[in-house]
Amino acid sequence: MLLCGLAAALAACGEPAPRKTGGAGTARAGDRVTPVSAVPVGSGVLVDMPGNAQLLVVQPQSGEFRAFDPSCPHVGSLVNPPTGGVITCPLHGSTFDPATGAVRKGPATSGLVEVAVTRSGDDLVLS
């Protein structure tokens, strides 16, 4: 009886939401990524993309925008938006330069992969 109750409780919870992956997903060149106003100077935001993916969009200096696949090259967990001038992976502590994506401290041995974006009016779009 206890097992039946446990099975019913688990079934009621439903399926867990799929884990987001890094990158542009199914978006294509010219697709809108985010409004320019949503990306704070000196920081950044994780943006949901089609296909259950995310991009990390940063504005290291006023008017300078870059986007990165937020998958840490070490084991693939998603990094956090920059704080205090650094992008950090919460899993093992790798850090990356928010202006270039270059690795600053391992265990990652390579930087974040850049995804080309350009400004189009008040929006950033995939290039």
Side-chain angles (χ1 to χ4, degrees):
M1 183 74 168
L2 179 60
L3 288 177
C4 291
L6 180 58
L10 289 174
C13 292
E15 294 294 317
R19 182 181 173 272
K20 296 225 182 261
T21 59
T26 58
R28 298 176 187 212
D31 286 351
R32 181 176 180 261
V33 175
T34 190
V36 168
S37 62
V39 186
V41 176
S43 189
V45 292
L46 287 167
V47 177
D48 289 337
M49 299 298 292
N52 202 43
Q54 285 188 320
L55 284 179
L56 173 60
V57 182
V58 298
Q59 186 177 187
Q61 298 179 57
S62 182
E64 177 188 333
F65 298 93
R66 299 190 92 150
F68 300 101
D69 177 334
S71 302
C72 180
H74 178 232
V75 294
S77 66
L78 299 182
V79 298
N80 293 323
T83 57
V86 68
I87 297 169
T88 303
C89 177
L91 191 59
H92 294 118
S94 292
T95 60
F96 305 90
D97 185 300
T100 65
V103 66
R104 285 188 176 171
K105 180 184 86 144
T109 58
S110 61
L112 300 174
V113 175
E114 187 165 4
V115 176
V117 294
T118 55
R119 186 171 183 163
S120 177
D122 291 333
D123 291 323
L124 296 174
V125 298
L126 289 177
S127 300

